[in-house]
Amino acid sequence: MTDLRYAYNTNGLTSHRLSDALPFLADCGYAGVALTLDVVHLDPFADDAHRQAEAVRRRCDELGLGVVVETGARFLLDPRVKHEPTLITASAEGRARRLAYLRLACDLAEVLDAEAVSFWAGVPKPGVDRDAAWGWLVDGVRALVDSHGGRSYALAVEPEPGMLVEDCDGWARLAAEAHGTTLALDTGHCVVAGAYAPEEAVTRFAPHLGTVAVEGMRRGVHDHLPLDEGDVDLPAVLRALRDASYDRLVTLELSRDGHRAHEMVPRSMATLRKAETQGVAAA
């Protein structure tokens, strides 16, 4: 058993300056921040990105916040195409750009003393052979591990519904071919794709967890909802994490709720604490 540590993703705080968001999270009881590198919060391509990262690390130390680095910004690499290019883009130049960005994110994660760097495979585009895409993905992940594996942070692959790696079994297949990664388990995704209920995925893959996310989600619909909405049994998920002695940050991603983050940040913490109590009572 362990006390769970919660973090809030900055992609749900896009109307807040990072300098304002960090103390807000600390004041609401969060133990960390899931920092999505993006144009609004620590642009990794800014000339002074490393200096900014050093300043963020100092501020997080003052506030007692841990860090997870997230790399899923929508338009960071291409302002006209969402989430492109990826490690499975048909263009070799595009795949190289994604790999270079992930390496940069890892460099910044080291400066930030992050627990994990989370990344995903990408969506196969029409006309792209899936076997070819799988080969590109394996090559890209191997290259990232070769250059940045073995550091203090976990390299964590996140299954995303609709992507080439969309569930936990897909991650296991990738991990068998590209050694050195952990699982970034978004428990809400389990009710959209895959063979495991969220709490079952936690238990089954506990030894391989590099980072974990929670949110509300409806069965079969990839839409991030407040924790007290949807079909995820949050008390069961938190109980499974405690039973697994999971001690890394548990992150919350509400990327479409930045306009009401002033409400969602404290509301989410209250929901998490209530679910913890319910999970213990049901044990």
Short mmCIF file of all heavy atoms in Angstrom, two decimals, residues 95-165:
data_model
loop_
_atom_site.label_atom_id
_atom_site.label_comp_id
_atom_site.label_asym_id
_atom_site.label_seq_id
_atom_site.Cartn_x
_atom_site.Cartn_y
_atom_site.Cartn_z
N ARG A 95 9.18 11.32 -39.96
CA ARG A 95 9.50 10.43 -38.84
C ARG A 95 10.74 10.93 -38.11
O ARG A 95 10.81 10.88 -36.87
CB ARG A 95 9.70 8.99 -39.34
CG ARG A 95 8.47 8.38 -39.98
CD ARG A 95 8.58 6.87 -40.12
NE ARG A 95 9.69 6.44 -40.94
CZ ARG A 95 9.66 6.31 -42.27
NH1 ARG A 95 8.55 6.64 -42.94
NH2 ARG A 95 10.71 5.88 -42.95
N ALA A 96 11.71 11.42 -38.85
CA ALA A 96 12.94 11.93 -38.24
C ALA A 96 12.64 13.17 -37.39
O ALA A 96 13.23 13.36 -36.32
CB ALA A 96 13.97 12.26 -39.32
N ARG A 97 11.71 14.01 -37.85
CA ARG A 97 11.34 15.18 -37.07
C ARG A 97 10.69 14.78 -35.75
O ARG A 97 10.96 15.39 -34.70
CB ARG A 97 10.39 16.07 -37.87
CG ARG A 97 11.07 16.87 -38.97
CD ARG A 97 10.06 17.69 -39.75
NE ARG A 97 9.30 18.57 -38.88
CZ ARG A 97 8.07 18.98 -39.13
NH1 ARG A 97 7.42 18.57 -40.22
NH2 ARG A 97 7.45 19.80 -38.31
N ARG A 98 9.80 13.79 -35.79
CA ARG A 98 9.18 13.33 -34.54
C ARG A 98 10.24 12.76 -33.59
O ARG A 98 10.23 13.05 -32.39
CB ARG A 98 8.10 12.30 -34.84
CG ARG A 98 7.48 11.65 -33.60
CD ARG A 98 6.77 12.61 -32.68
NE ARG A 98 5.62 13.26 -33.28
CZ ARG A 98 4.74 13.99 -32.61
NH1 ARG A 98 4.85 14.15 -31.29
NH2 ARG A 98 3.74 14.59 -33.24
N LEU A 99 11.14 11.96 -34.11
CA LEU A 99 12.17 11.37 -33.26
C LEU A 99 13.05 12.46 -32.66
O LEU A 99 13.38 12.41 -31.46
CB LEU A 99 13.02 10.38 -34.07
CG LEU A 99 14.19 9.73 -33.32
CD1 LEU A 99 13.70 8.96 -32.10
CD2 LEU A 99 14.96 8.80 -34.26
N ALA A 100 13.43 13.45 -33.46
CA ALA A 100 14.25 14.55 -32.95
C ALA A 100 13.51 15.30 -31.85
O ALA A 100 14.11 15.70 -30.83
CB ALA A 100 14.63 15.50 -34.09
N TYR A 101 12.21 15.50 -32.03
CA TYR A 101 11.42 16.17 -31.00
C TYR A 101 11.37 15.34 -29.71
O TYR A 101 11.53 15.88 -28.61
CB TYR A 101 10.00 16.44 -31.51
CG TYR A 101 9.04 16.76 -30.39
CD1 TYR A 101 9.31 17.78 -29.48
CD2 TYR A 101 7.87 16.02 -30.20
CE1 TYR A 101 8.45 18.06 -28.43
CE2 TYR A 101 7.01 16.29 -29.17
CZ TYR A 101 7.30 17.31 -28.29
OH TYR A 101 6.46 17.58 -27.24
N LEU A 102 11.16 14.03 -29.83
CA LEU A 102 11.12 13.19 -28.64
C LEU A 102 12.46 13.21 -27.91
O LEU A 102 12.50 13.21 -26.68
CB LEU A 102 10.73 11.75 -29.01
CG LEU A 102 9.30 11.57 -29.52
CD1 LEU A 102 9.06 10.12 -29.94
CD2 LEU A 102 8.27 11.99 -28.47
N ARG A 103 13.54 13.25 -28.65
CA ARG A 103 14.86 13.34 -28.01
C ARG A 103 15.02 14.68 -27.30
O ARG A 103 15.57 14.74 -26.19
CB ARG A 103 15.95 13.15 -29.06
CG ARG A 103 16.12 11.69 -29.49
CD ARG A 103 17.06 11.54 -30.67
NE ARG A 103 17.46 10.14 -30.85
CZ ARG A 103 17.93 9.63 -31.98
NH1 ARG A 103 18.08 10.43 -33.06
NH2 ARG A 103 18.28 8.37 -32.05
N LEU A 104 14.52 15.75 -27.90
CA LEU A 104 14.55 17.05 -27.25
C LEU A 104 13.71 17.03 -25.98
O LEU A 104 14.11 17.57 -24.94
CB LEU A 104 14.05 18.12 -28.22
CG LEU A 104 13.87 19.53 -27.68
CD1 LEU A 104 15.17 20.07 -27.10
CD2 LEU A 104 13.33 20.45 -28.77
N ALA A 105 12.53 16.42 -26.06
CA ALA A 105 11.67 16.32 -24.88
C ALA A 105 12.37 15.56 -23.76
O ALA A 105 12.27 15.92 -22.58
CB ALA A 105 10.36 15.62 -25.24
N CYS A 106 13.12 14.54 -24.12
CA CYS A 106 13.87 13.78 -23.12
C CYS A 106 14.97 14.62 -22.50
O CYS A 106 15.23 14.55 -21.29
CB CYS A 106 14.44 12.52 -23.75
SG CYS A 106 13.22 11.23 -24.10
N ASP A 107 15.65 15.42 -23.32
CA ASP A 107 16.67 16.33 -22.78
C ASP A 107 16.06 17.28 -21.76
O ASP A 107 16.62 17.53 -20.69
CB ASP A 107 17.32 17.13 -23.91
CG ASP A 107 18.25 16.29 -24.77
OD1 ASP A 107 18.69 15.21 -24.31
OD2 ASP A 107 18.52 16.71 -25.92
N LEU A 108 14.89 17.84 -22.09
CA LEU A 108 14.22 18.74 -21.17
C LEU A 108 13.73 18.00 -19.93
O LEU A 108 13.75 18.55 -18.82
CB LEU A 108 13.06 19.43 -21.88
CG LEU A 108 13.47 20.41 -22.99
CD1 LEU A 108 12.24 20.90 -23.75
CD2 LEU A 108 14.25 21.59 -22.43
N ALA A 109 13.29 16.75 -20.10
CA ALA A 109 12.85 15.96 -18.95
C ALA A 109 13.98 15.76 -17.96
O ALA A 109 13.75 15.77 -16.74
CB ALA A 109 12.32 14.61 -19.43
N GLU A 110 15.18 15.62 -18.47
CA GLU A 110 16.32 15.46 -17.56
C GLU A 110 16.56 16.74 -16.77
O GLU A 110 16.81 16.70 -15.57
CB GLU A 110 17.56 15.08 -18.36
CG GLU A 110 18.73 14.64 -17.51
CD GLU A 110 19.79 13.91 -18.30
OE1 GLU A 110 20.02 14.28 -19.46
OE2 GLU A 110 20.40 12.97 -17.75
N VAL A 111 16.45 17.88 -17.44
CA VAL A 111 16.59 19.16 -16.75
C VAL A 111 15.49 19.32 -15.70
O VAL A 111 15.72 19.81 -14.59
CB VAL A 111 16.54 20.33 -17.76
CG1 VAL A 111 16.58 21.67 -17.03
CG2 VAL A 111 17.68 20.23 -18.76
N LEU A 112 14.28 18.89 -16.05
CA LEU A 112 13.12 19.01 -15.15
C LEU A 112 13.11 17.96 -14.05
O LEU A 112 12.25 18.01 -13.17
CB LEU A 112 11.84 18.88 -15.97
CG LEU A 112 11.52 20.05 -16.91
CD1 LEU A 112 10.52 19.63 -17.97
CD2 LEU A 112 10.99 21.24 -16.11
N ASP A 113 14.05 17.01 -14.09
CA ASP A 113 14.07 15.89 -13.15
C ASP A 113 12.73 15.16 -13.16
O ASP A 113 12.17 14.82 -12.11
CB ASP A 113 14.41 16.38 -11.74
CG ASP A 113 14.77 15.24 -10.79
OD1 ASP A 113 15.19 14.15 -11.28
OD2 ASP A 113 14.62 15.41 -9.56
N ALA A 114 12.22 14.91 -14.36
CA ALA A 114 10.91 14.29 -14.53
C ALA A 114 10.94 12.81 -14.17
O ALA A 114 11.98 12.15 -14.28
CB ALA A 114 10.43 14.46 -15.96
N GLU A 115 9.79 12.29 -13.78
CA GLU A 115 9.65 10.86 -13.49
C GLU A 115 9.50 10.05 -14.76
O GLU A 115 9.90 8.88 -14.81
CB GLU A 115 8.41 10.62 -12.62
CG GLU A 115 8.47 11.23 -11.25
CD GLU A 115 7.25 10.86 -10.42
OE1 GLU A 115 6.41 10.07 -10.90
OE2 GLU A 115 7.13 11.37 -9.29
N ALA A 116 8.89 10.64 -15.79
CA ALA A 116 8.61 9.89 -17.01
C ALA A 116 8.45 10.86 -18.17
O ALA A 116 8.13 12.04 -18.00
CB ALA A 116 7.32 9.07 -16.85
N VAL A 117 8.70 10.33 -19.38
CA VAL A 117 8.37 11.01 -20.63
C VAL A 117 7.38 10.11 -21.35
O VAL A 117 7.68 8.95 -21.65
CB VAL A 117 9.60 11.23 -21.51
CG1 VAL A 117 9.19 11.87 -22.83
CG2 VAL A 117 10.62 12.09 -20.79
N SER A 118 6.19 10.63 -21.61
CA SER A 118 5.13 9.85 -22.24
C SER A 118 5.03 10.22 -23.72
O SER A 118 5.09 11.41 -24.08
CB SER A 118 3.80 10.12 -21.54
OG SER A 118 2.72 9.48 -22.20
N PHE A 119 4.86 9.22 -24.58
CA PHE A 119 4.68 9.47 -26.01
C PHE A 119 3.83 8.35 -26.60
O PHE A 119 3.64 7.31 -25.99
CB PHE A 119 6.02 9.59 -26.75
CG PHE A 119 6.86 8.33 -26.76
CD1 PHE A 119 6.91 7.52 -27.89
CD2 PHE A 119 7.62 7.96 -25.65
CE1 PHE A 119 7.70 6.38 -27.92
CE2 PHE A 119 8.41 6.82 -25.67
CZ PHE A 119 8.45 6.03 -26.80
N TRP A 120 3.30 8.61 -27.82
CA TRP A 120 2.42 7.62 -28.45
C TRP A 120 2.90 7.29 -29.85
O TRP A 120 3.83 7.91 -30.37
CB TRP A 120 0.97 8.06 -28.47
CG TRP A 120 0.68 9.52 -28.62
CD1 TRP A 120 0.05 10.33 -27.72
CD2 TRP A 120 0.96 10.36 -29.76
NE1 TRP A 120 -0.08 11.61 -28.21
CE2 TRP A 120 0.49 11.65 -29.46
CE3 TRP A 120 1.57 10.15 -30.98
CZ2 TRP A 120 0.59 12.73 -30.35
CZ3 TRP A 120 1.70 11.22 -31.87
CH2 TRP A 120 1.22 12.49 -31.56
N ALA A 121 2.23 6.32 -30.49
CA ALA A 121 2.68 5.82 -31.79
C ALA A 121 2.24 6.72 -32.94
O ALA A 121 3.02 6.99 -33.86
CB ALA A 121 2.14 4.41 -32.03
N GLY A 122 1.00 7.15 -32.93
CA GLY A 122 0.44 7.90 -34.05
C GLY A 122 -0.66 7.12 -34.75
O GLY A 122 -0.81 5.90 -34.57
N VAL A 123 -1.44 7.84 -35.55
CA VAL A 123 -2.56 7.25 -36.29
C VAL A 123 -2.09 6.89 -37.69
O VAL A 123 -1.55 7.74 -38.40
CB VAL A 123 -3.74 8.23 -36.37
CG1 VAL A 123 -4.87 7.64 -37.21
CG2 VAL A 123 -4.24 8.60 -34.98
N PRO A 124 -2.30 5.63 -38.13
CA PRO A 124 -1.93 5.27 -39.51
C PRO A 124 -2.79 6.03 -40.50
O PRO A 124 -4.01 6.03 -40.42
CB PRO A 124 -2.21 3.76 -39.57
CG PRO A 124 -2.34 3.31 -38.14
CD PRO A 124 -2.84 4.49 -37.37
N LYS A 125 -2.15 6.70 -41.45
CA LYS A 125 -2.89 7.46 -42.46
C LYS A 125 -3.39 6.53 -43.56
O LYS A 125 -2.82 5.46 -43.81
CB LYS A 125 -1.99 8.55 -43.04
CG LYS A 125 -1.61 9.63 -42.04
CD LYS A 125 -2.84 10.36 -41.54
CE LYS A 125 -2.47 11.51 -40.60
NZ LYS A 125 -3.65 12.18 -40.05
N PRO A 126 -4.45 6.90 -44.26
CA PRO A 126 -4.95 6.08 -45.38
C PRO A 126 -3.85 5.82 -46.40
O PRO A 126 -3.07 6.72 -46.74
CB PRO A 126 -6.07 6.94 -45.97
CG PRO A 126 -6.52 7.81 -44.84
CD PRO A 126 -5.30 8.10 -44.03
N GLY A 127 -3.79 4.58 -46.85
CA GLY A 127 -2.79 4.21 -47.83
C GLY A 127 -1.47 3.74 -47.27
O GLY A 127 -0.62 3.23 -48.01
N VAL A 128 -1.27 3.90 -45.96
CA VAL A 128 -0.04 3.44 -45.32
C VAL A 128 -0.22 1.98 -44.91
O VAL A 128 -1.17 1.63 -44.20
CB VAL A 128 0.31 4.30 -44.09
CG1 VAL A 128 1.46 3.68 -43.31
CG2 VAL A 128 0.66 5.72 -44.52
N ASP A 129 0.68 1.13 -45.36
CA ASP A 129 0.65 -0.28 -44.99
C ASP A 129 0.95 -0.43 -43.50
O ASP A 129 1.95 0.08 -43.00
CB ASP A 129 1.69 -1.05 -45.82
CG ASP A 129 1.70 -2.53 -45.48
OD1 ASP A 129 0.84 -3.25 -46.01
OD2 ASP A 129 2.58 -2.94 -44.69
N ARG A 130 0.09 -1.15 -42.79
CA ARG A 130 0.25 -1.26 -41.34
C ARG A 130 1.52 -2.02 -40.96
O ARG A 130 2.15 -1.71 -39.94
CB ARG A 130 -0.99 -1.92 -40.72
CG ARG A 130 -2.23 -1.04 -40.80
CD ARG A 130 -3.41 -1.69 -40.10
NE ARG A 130 -3.28 -1.67 -38.65
CZ ARG A 130 -3.72 -0.69 -37.87
NH1 ARG A 130 -4.29 0.37 -38.39
NH2 ARG A 130 -3.57 -0.76 -36.56
N ASP A 131 1.91 -3.01 -41.76
CA ASP A 131 3.15 -3.72 -41.45
C ASP A 131 4.35 -2.79 -41.59
O ASP A 131 5.28 -2.82 -40.77
CB ASP A 131 3.31 -4.93 -42.35
CG ASP A 131 2.33 -6.04 -42.02
OD1 ASP A 131 1.81 -6.06 -40.88
OD2 ASP A 131 2.05 -6.89 -42.89
N ALA A 132 4.32 -1.97 -42.64
CA ALA A 132 5.40 -1.00 -42.81
C ALA A 132 5.41 0.00 -41.66
O ALA A 132 6.49 0.33 -41.11
CB ALA A 132 5.25 -0.27 -44.14
N ALA A 133 4.22 0.46 -41.27
CA ALA A 133 4.13 1.41 -40.16
C ALA A 133 4.66 0.80 -38.87
O ALA A 133 5.35 1.48 -38.09
CB ALA A 133 2.68 1.87 -39.99
N TRP A 134 4.35 -0.47 -38.65
CA TRP A 134 4.85 -1.13 -37.44
C TRP A 134 6.38 -1.18 -37.46
O TRP A 134 7.03 -0.92 -36.44
CB TRP A 134 4.28 -2.53 -37.33
CG TRP A 134 4.66 -3.18 -36.03
CD1 TRP A 134 5.68 -4.06 -35.82
CD2 TRP A 134 4.04 -2.97 -34.76
NE1 TRP A 134 5.74 -4.41 -34.49
CE2 TRP A 134 4.75 -3.75 -33.82
CE3 TRP A 134 2.97 -2.20 -34.33
CZ2 TRP A 134 4.42 -3.77 -32.47
CZ3 TRP A 134 2.63 -2.21 -32.98
CH2 TRP A 134 3.35 -3.00 -32.07
N GLY A 135 6.96 -1.47 -38.58
CA GLY A 135 8.42 -1.48 -38.68
C GLY A 135 9.02 -0.12 -38.41
O GLY A 135 10.05 -0.01 -37.72
N TRP A 136 8.39 0.95 -38.93
CA TRP A 136 8.88 2.30 -38.66
C TRP A 136 8.79 2.61 -37.16
O TRP A 136 9.71 3.23 -36.60
CB TRP A 136 8.07 3.33 -39.44
CG TRP A 136 8.16 3.20 -40.92
CD1 TRP A 136 9.21 2.69 -41.64
CD2 TRP A 136 7.15 3.58 -41.87
NE1 TRP A 136 8.91 2.74 -42.99
CE2 TRP A 136 7.67 3.27 -43.17
CE3 TRP A 136 5.88 4.14 -41.77
CZ2 TRP A 136 6.94 3.52 -44.33
CZ3 TRP A 136 5.16 4.38 -42.92
CH2 TRP A 136 5.68 4.07 -44.19
N LEU A 137 7.69 2.18 -36.55
CA LEU A 137 7.51 2.45 -35.12
C LEU A 137 8.58 1.75 -34.30
O LEU A 137 9.20 2.36 -33.41
CB LEU A 137 6.12 2.00 -34.69
CG LEU A 137 5.81 2.13 -33.19
CD1 LEU A 137 5.88 3.59 -32.75
CD2 LEU A 137 4.45 1.53 -32.87
N VAL A 138 8.80 0.49 -34.57
CA VAL A 138 9.81 -0.26 -33.83
C VAL A 138 11.18 0.39 -34.00
O VAL A 138 11.93 0.58 -33.03
CB VAL A 138 9.83 -1.73 -34.28
CG1 VAL A 138 11.05 -2.47 -33.69
CG2 VAL A 138 8.54 -2.44 -33.87
N ASP A 139 11.51 0.77 -35.22
CA ASP A 139 12.80 1.42 -35.47
C ASP A 139 12.92 2.73 -34.70
O ASP A 139 13.97 3.02 -34.11
CB ASP A 139 12.98 1.69 -36.96
CG ASP A 139 13.22 0.43 -37.78
OD1 ASP A 139 13.52 -0.63 -37.18
OD2 ASP A 139 13.10 0.50 -39.01
N GLY A 140 11.84 3.51 -34.69
CA GLY A 140 11.87 4.79 -34.00
C GLY A 140 12.01 4.64 -32.50
O GLY A 140 12.78 5.37 -31.86
N VAL A 141 11.27 3.70 -31.93
CA VAL A 141 11.35 3.49 -30.48
C VAL A 141 12.71 2.95 -30.10
O VAL A 141 13.31 3.37 -29.10
CB VAL A 141 10.21 2.57 -30.01
CG1 VAL A 141 10.38 2.21 -28.54
CG2 VAL A 141 8.85 3.24 -30.24
N ARG A 142 13.24 2.04 -30.88
CA ARG A 142 14.58 1.53 -30.61
C ARG A 142 15.62 2.66 -30.64
O ARG A 142 16.52 2.72 -29.79
CB ARG A 142 14.95 0.45 -31.61
CG ARG A 142 14.28 -0.89 -31.39
CD ARG A 142 14.60 -1.86 -32.51
NE ARG A 142 14.03 -3.19 -32.28
CZ ARG A 142 14.00 -4.16 -33.20
NH1 ARG A 142 14.51 -3.93 -34.42
NH2 ARG A 142 13.47 -5.32 -32.91
N ALA A 143 15.49 3.55 -31.61
CA ALA A 143 16.43 4.66 -31.72
C ALA A 143 16.31 5.58 -30.50
O ALA A 143 17.33 6.09 -29.99
CB ALA A 143 16.17 5.44 -33.01
N LEU A 144 15.08 5.83 -30.04
CA LEU A 144 14.90 6.67 -28.86
C LEU A 144 15.49 6.00 -27.62
O LEU A 144 16.17 6.66 -26.82
CB LEU A 144 13.41 6.95 -28.66
CG LEU A 144 13.07 7.90 -27.51
CD1 LEU A 144 13.67 9.27 -27.74
CD2 LEU A 144 11.55 8.00 -27.33
N VAL A 145 15.25 4.72 -27.48
CA VAL A 145 15.81 4.00 -26.34
C VAL A 145 17.34 4.01 -26.39
O VAL A 145 18.02 4.21 -25.37
CB VAL A 145 15.27 2.56 -26.28
CG1 VAL A 145 16.02 1.75 -25.23
CG2 VAL A 145 13.77 2.55 -25.98
N ASP A 146 17.89 3.82 -27.58
CA ASP A 146 19.35 3.80 -27.72
C ASP A 146 19.97 5.12 -27.29
O ASP A 146 21.06 5.15 -26.69
CB ASP A 146 19.75 3.51 -29.17
CG ASP A 146 19.55 2.06 -29.55
OD1 ASP A 146 19.36 1.23 -28.65
OD2 ASP A 146 19.57 1.76 -30.77
N SER A 147 19.27 6.24 -27.57
CA SER A 147 19.84 7.54 -27.25
C SER A 147 19.45 8.06 -25.87
O SER A 147 20.17 8.88 -25.29
CB SER A 147 19.43 8.57 -28.32
OG SER A 147 18.02 8.67 -28.43
N HIS A 148 18.31 7.60 -25.33
CA HIS A 148 17.82 8.17 -24.08
C HIS A 148 17.34 7.13 -23.07
O HIS A 148 16.84 7.51 -22.01
CB HIS A 148 16.70 9.17 -24.38
CG HIS A 148 17.19 10.44 -24.98
ND1 HIS A 148 17.60 11.51 -24.22
CD2 HIS A 148 17.38 10.81 -26.26
CE1 HIS A 148 18.00 12.48 -25.02
NE2 HIS A 148 17.88 12.08 -26.27
N GLY A 149 17.48 5.87 -23.36
CA GLY A 149 17.09 4.86 -22.38
C GLY A 149 18.09 4.79 -21.24
O GLY A 149 19.24 5.22 -21.36
N GLY A 150 17.64 4.26 -20.12
CA GLY A 150 18.54 4.07 -18.98
C GLY A 150 18.75 5.31 -18.15
O GLY A 150 19.55 5.29 -17.21
N ARG A 151 18.06 6.40 -18.46
CA ARG A 151 18.17 7.60 -17.63
C ARG A 151 17.24 7.48 -16.42
O ARG A 151 16.58 6.47 -16.23
CB ARG A 151 17.86 8.84 -18.47
CG ARG A 151 18.85 9.04 -19.63
CD ARG A 151 18.72 10.42 -20.22
NE ARG A 151 19.62 10.61 -21.35
CZ ARG A 151 19.79 11.78 -21.97
NH1 ARG A 151 19.10 12.85 -21.58
NH2 ARG A 151 20.62 11.89 -23.00
N SER A 152 17.19 8.54 -15.63
CA SER A 152 16.43 8.45 -14.38
C SER A 152 14.93 8.42 -14.61
O SER A 152 14.17 7.98 -13.75
CB SER A 152 16.79 9.62 -13.47
OG SER A 152 16.52 10.86 -14.12
N TYR A 153 14.47 8.91 -15.76
CA TYR A 153 13.04 8.92 -16.05
C TYR A 153 12.65 7.70 -16.88
O TYR A 153 13.49 7.09 -17.55
CB TYR A 153 12.65 10.20 -16.83
CG TYR A 153 13.51 10.45 -18.04
CD1 TYR A 153 13.29 9.79 -19.24
CD2 TYR A 153 14.58 11.33 -17.98
CE1 TYR A 153 14.08 10.00 -20.34
CE2 TYR A 153 15.39 11.56 -19.08
CZ TYR A 153 15.14 10.89 -20.25
OH TYR A 153 15.95 11.09 -21.34
N ALA A 154 11.39 7.35 -16.83
CA ALA A 154 10.87 6.23 -17.63
C ALA A 154 10.48 6.73 -19.01
O ALA A 154 9.88 7.80 -19.14
CB ALA A 154 9.66 5.62 -16.93
N LEU A 155 10.82 5.95 -20.03
CA LEU A 155 10.31 6.18 -21.38
C LEU A 155 9.01 5.38 -21.48
O LEU A 155 9.03 4.15 -21.48
CB LEU A 155 11.31 5.70 -22.43
CG LEU A 155 12.53 6.58 -22.68
CD1 LEU A 155 13.49 5.88 -23.64
CD2 LEU A 155 12.13 7.94 -23.23
N ALA A 156 7.88 6.08 -21.57
CA ALA A 156 6.58 5.42 -21.43
C ALA A 156 5.74 5.60 -22.69
O ALA A 156 5.46 6.73 -23.09
CB ALA A 156 5.83 5.97 -20.22
N VAL A 157 5.34 4.50 -23.30
CA VAL A 157 4.51 4.52 -24.51
C VAL A 157 3.04 4.45 -24.08
O VAL A 157 2.63 3.54 -23.36
CB VAL A 157 4.84 3.34 -25.44
CG1 VAL A 157 3.92 3.35 -26.66
CG2 VAL A 157 6.31 3.39 -25.87
N GLU A 158 2.25 5.40 -24.58
CA GLU A 158 0.84 5.46 -24.23
C GLU A 158 -0.03 4.89 -25.34
O GLU A 158 -0.08 5.45 -26.44
CB GLU A 158 0.41 6.89 -23.95
CG GLU A 158 -1.06 7.01 -23.57
CD GLU A 158 -1.50 8.43 -23.31
OE1 GLU A 158 -0.69 9.35 -23.47
OE2 GLU A 158 -2.69 8.61 -22.97
N PRO A 159 -0.73 3.80 -25.11
CA PRO A 159 -1.74 3.35 -26.08
C PRO A 159 -2.87 4.36 -26.18
O PRO A 159 -3.38 4.84 -25.17
CB PRO A 159 -2.24 2.02 -25.48
CG PRO A 159 -1.16 1.59 -24.53
CD PRO A 159 -0.61 2.87 -23.97
N GLU A 160 -3.25 4.68 -27.41
CA GLU A 160 -4.34 5.63 -27.66
C GLU A 160 -5.34 4.99 -28.61
O GLU A 160 -4.96 4.46 -29.65
CB GLU A 160 -3.79 6.90 -28.30
CG GLU A 160 -3.02 7.80 -27.38
CD GLU A 160 -3.90 8.89 -26.78
OE1 GLU A 160 -5.12 8.91 -27.07
OE2 GLU A 160 -3.36 9.70 -26.00
N PRO A 161 -6.63 5.04 -28.29
CA PRO A 161 -7.63 4.48 -29.21
C PRO A 161 -7.48 5.07 -30.61
O PRO A 161 -7.36 6.28 -30.79
CB PRO A 161 -8.96 4.91 -28.56
CG PRO A 161 -8.64 5.03 -27.11
CD PRO A 161 -7.24 5.57 -27.06
N GLY A 162 -7.47 4.19 -31.60
CA GLY A 162 -7.35 4.62 -32.98
C GLY A 162 -5.93 4.72 -33.49
O GLY A 162 -5.71 4.88 -34.69
N MET A 163 -4.95 4.64 -32.59
CA MET A 163 -3.55 4.70 -33.00
C MET A 163 -3.03 3.29 -33.29
O MET A 163 -3.69 2.29 -33.00
CB MET A 163 -2.70 5.40 -31.95
CG MET A 163 -2.99 6.88 -31.85
SD MET A 163 -1.70 7.78 -30.94
CE MET A 163 -2.31 9.46 -31.09
N LEU A 164 -1.83 3.23 -33.85
CA LEU A 164 -1.26 1.93 -34.18
C LEU A 164 -1.08 1.08 -32.93
O LEU A 164 -1.27 -0.14 -32.96
CB LEU A 164 0.07 2.11 -34.91
CG LEU A 164 0.66 0.84 -35.54
CD1 LEU A 164 -0.27 0.28 -36.63
CD2 LEU A 164 2.05 1.12 -36.12
N VAL A 165 -0.70 1.69 -31.84
CA VAL A 165 -0.70 1.03 -30.53
C VAL A 165 -1.86 1.63 -29.76
O VAL A 165 -1.78 2.76 -29.27
CB VAL A 165 0.63 1.25 -29.77
CG1 VAL A 165 0.55 0.67 -28.36
CG2 VAL A 165 1.79 0.63 -30.54
#
